[in-house]
Structure formats: structure tokens, C-alpha cells
Amino acid sequence: MAKLLIRAIWKWPQWLLEVFSWGKSFKNNPIIGSYWLNLCGLHVARVVLAQVLFRFRLLLLAPLVPAADRRDFLKKGYILKENFLPQDEFQRLRQALQDYRGEVRELVEGTTLTQRTFMTRAEREKLPALKAFADDPRLDHLMRYCSSKNRPALFYVENLCNHANVVPRPDPQRDMHADTFHPCVKGWLYIDSVDDDNGPYIYVPGSHRLTWRRLKWEYRQSLEACKRGQARAPGRYWDGSFRVSEQALREMGLAPVKFCVPANTLLIANVYGFHRRGEAERRSNRMTVWMQARDNPFNPLFTLWPATTGRVFEWVWGQVLRRLDGPRQAAGEQRVFCGGFSRE
Ligand SMILES: [Fe+2]
């Protein structure tokens, strides 16, 4: 009992700090997960403030990208560009990733084997085609604008092995969800073309916008997410990545679209908008260069030194991943190996 009390006192500053940053777990943080605070509007206040500051930063960063891209991003929640790289550059990149040998993290989601490599600056130096893509000013400007943080993204290579020969685990990627309570972006350059065979990305255009109906939905979800024990509906997620039903989508006047796209397509999406990984009909692969840029949504400012800040974030994230490796491997959620990506 005394131990629990000391732990709670020790943890309070951290929990409080999380409220004013990207903390989102209703389960692990008793302030974020407080029924009474959310009844008084804590969650919706965080949602609204994060949106206002996001739009403010976007306004200031508007000169970075052409007006048409800004319109797409603000109206639909995503930017899609086919044939992003010149064909010869894309083929060089594709070949380099097929032949890549390095440290791969592997986890099972449903019947999908997800292989990922964190492509730090040092790793990118070894792959000139990937370095050229990461340093492409068009990509750099798009990611700096869409993240609203004016810093380059973190880069990964992700290779999905659909219907792999694995013992299935719960798959959080297949349910329609928003990643978190605030706008943030992820990007993909598709190395493989995408169709129903290898599982297209599914996104709900316009669902990134904070409408009155969305705000009411957020309020109801925040109260649901605070429930404990018997009152808690089964099969729900309590990590702050709220799942949305088809009926709730219809009530909000929204409908999903499936991105069946050719290889060499760039997609950048605001993952506050609802999305999910589509079903793959066959044993197949889907490789992408995967990018993300998540930051404190309550910081009204952005960096004036994108390259330096990008390097600091990359170093810190590399350390975080290293620290997570041990517990994840001990829990049987992940394995790490040196080698190449599995390709059919
Ligand atoms: Fe997601």
C-alpha cells in the first residue's frame, strides 16, 4: 500500500506533464483518464486547443508548399502524388531496399508480419537512393508544412508480409481509428504497387476536420474510455487511439476511400483523420518508405532550425526504440534480426 502511494506521488509530475503534451492513454494516466475531469471537458479542451494551434502553425508555414497542396491537405486531410520520383531514381531506390541488409525489427499484427528498419541519417548515407529521396526539397517542404513543426520526418522502411506463417495476434491496424487526439502526419512512398492483394490503406477524407459532430463524438468517447471494470465495453481500446464504428462514420457524414495506387506514389496523411490498414486477399508484400513527424501539439511554435532539430529528434527516437526493444522482446511482441526484408 505504502509502495503504491509513493509510486503515485512520484508519478504525479509526469502525469501532469503528459496532459500538456502528447500523452493520450486513458488507462495509464489517471488525469487523462479521469471521468470527472472529462465530464467537465478535459479531453475536448485538449482536442480543441491542439486544433487551433495546429492551424496557427500551418498558417505561418504556408509559404513552404504550393496552394494546391495546401488546399488538398486542409480539405481532404491528405496529399497524394503519383510518380513522385523520376523513374530511374525510383528503380534505384527500389533495388537498394530489396537488397538492403541491416537491423530489422519484426512484429506480428493479426496474420501480418511487419518488418521495420529505422533509417537514421547514418543508415541513409549507406543508401544514396534513399538519402536522395529523404533530402528531396519537395518532400522536405511537404513534411515540414504538414507536420506544422517545420522539421524533417523520421524515416523507416516498412515491409508488410501478409498472411505470413505466424501465430495470429490482435491487429490494432485493421480497425478504423484516429491515431491520437491531435493532428499529426504520417507519410508513405509506396515501393510496391497496392491493390486488394496486398492490402490498400483506407482513409476517410475530411475526417481530420474538427466539426461539431466530431467534437460531440470525441466527448462521448472520452467518457467511455474512462470506464473501468464491468462498465468497460469489451474489445475497445483505451490507449487514446479511439476506434470508430461504420454507423458513427455515417452519422458524421463521412465515408472511407481505398488507396489502390501504383508504385512510386507518395501519400501524406493527417492521422487524426480516421484510417485503417485494408485487408490483403493473398500472401503478399507491401513495402514503403514510411515517415512520421509527431511532436508536442501544445507548443504554439515550431523550430527555426529544421535540420538540427531533425537530427536531435532522430537521435532521441533512436534511444527510445533501443529502450523499448528489451521489454518488447521479453513480452514476445517483437524480435530483432540482422538481415534483409522478406520478399515473396
Ligand atoms: Fe493508425
Side-chain angles (χ1 to χ4, degrees):
M1 187 67 190
K3 244 183 180 175
L4 277 177
L5 194 69
I6 291 167
R7 185 178 168 271
I9 294 168
W10 186 250
K11 282 270 187 182
W12 260 89
Q14 184 195 327
W15 290 332
L16 204 59
L17 209 67
E18 284 176 5
V19 174
F20 295 100
S21 65
W22 50 59
K24 62 172 186 164
S25 175
F26 283 69
K27 189 175 163 191
N28 300 334
N29 186 319
I31 305 175
I32 292 171
S34 159
Y35 186 83
W36 293 106
L37 286 176
N38 285 312
L39 197 65
C40 295
L42 173 66
H43 176 72
V44 289
R46 294 180 87 215
V47 168
V48 170
L49 185 58
Q51 283 281 346
V52 169
L53 294 174
F54 178 68
R55 294 301 284 254
F56 171 68
R57 293 188 301 264
L58 283 187
L59 198 67
L60 298 183
L61 291 171
L64 278 176
V65 296
D69 289 339
R70 293 202 306 269
R71 264 199 305 277
D72 271 358
F73 188 63
L74 295 176
K75 189 176 170 211
K76 297 190 282 189
Y78 66 88
I79 295 170
L80 188 76
K81 288 182 183 292
E82 290 188 8
N83 292 314
F84 184 71
L85 290 175
Q87 249 334 290
D88 55 336
E89 279 182 37
F90 175 72
Q91 289 308 335
R92 272 200 294 277
L93 175 60
R94 189 169 206 270
Q95 198 56 54
L97 299 184
Q98 306 257 34
D99 298 342
Y100 178 76
R101 286 274 179 284
E103 188 183 62
V104 180
R105 290 180 172 86
E106 188 178 75
L107 63 147
V108 177
E109 296 172 306
T111 57
T112 307
L113 195 60
T114 302
Q115 300 176 331
R116 279 191 198 130
T117 293
F118 184 40
M119 289 291 180
T120 59
R121 193 179 172 76
E123 275 314 284
R124 300 198 298 269
E125 291 287 346
K126 296 179 203 163
L127 300 171
L130 181 61
K131 183 179 183 308
F133 168 68
D135 294 343
D136 188 316
R138 294 174 301 151
L139 176 75
D140 184 57
H141 286 195
L142 281 170
M143 288 305 288
R144 279 164 54 193
Y145 169 77
C146 294
S147 68
S148 85
K149 288 293 184 175
N150 199 30
R151 70 174 171 83
L154 301 173
F155 289 86
Y156 290 81
V157 172
E158 181 180 81
N159 183 52
L160 303 183
C161 308
N162 296 305
H163 299 288
N165 187 20
V166 292
V167 178
R169 293 174 67 94
D171 186 356
Q173 307 292 344
R174 303 276 179 200
D175 301 327
M176 194 66 88
H177 66 281
D179 271 17
T180 186
F181 68 93
H182 60 87
C184 57
V185 297
K186 285 183 178 165
W188 299 261
L189 178 76
Y190 289 97
I191 301 300
D192 297 312
S193 60
V194 186
D195 54 25
D196 287 330
D197 281 358
N198 60 357
Y201 185 70
I202 297 177
Y203 188 83
V204 183
S207 63
H208 65 298
R209 286 201 297 261
L210 189 58
T211 59
W212 179 241
R213 280 188 274 190
R214 174 70 181 269
L215 198 59
K216 285 197 290 186
W217 181 86
E218 290 280 353
Y219 183 70
R220 287 196 301 271
Q221 292 300 306
S222 73
L223 298 183
E224 274 295 312
C226 294
K227 289 180 181 169
R228 298 281 185 267
Q230 293 290 316
R232 183 183 278 183
R236 284 186 53 88
Y237 291 78
W238 311 99
D239 57 359
S241 301
F242 291 157
R243 269 53 192 169
V244 63
S245 66
E246 282 181 25
Q247 193 193 335
L249 275 185
R250 275 196 298 276
E251 284 168 6
M252 284 187 259
L254 299 166
V257 296
K258 205 171 9 174
F259 290 116
C260 291
V261 293
N264 196 16
T265 296
L266 177 75
L267 171 67
I268 296 175
N270 178 349
V271 287
Y272 176 69
F274 297 121
H275 60 279
R276 71 181 183 90
R277 192 182 284 168
E279 286 76 17
E281 288 177 1
R282 288 176 215 289
R283 194 178 162 90
S284 54
N285 293 125
R286 195 185 86 182
M287 184 186 266
T288 54
V289 178
W290 178 54
M291 298 153 275
Q292 65 165 329
R294 193 174 292 194
D295 208 322
N296 184 350
F298 301 120
N299 180 356
L301 305 173
F302 46 75
T303 179
L304 298 176
W305 300 277
T308 310
T309 315
R311 276 199 281 277
V312 171
F313 266 79
E314 194 175 88
W315 182 82
V316 171
W317 188 238
Q319 300 302 310
V320 172
L321 282 179
R322 288 259 166 269
R323 279 178 52 185
L324 290 174
D325 278 346
R328 282 179 177 171
Q329 286 176 69
E333 291 171 8
Q334 179 189 280
R335 80 177 182 111
V336 182
F337 67 90
C338 275
F341 297 108
S342 311
R343 305 289 284 167
E344 287 290 309

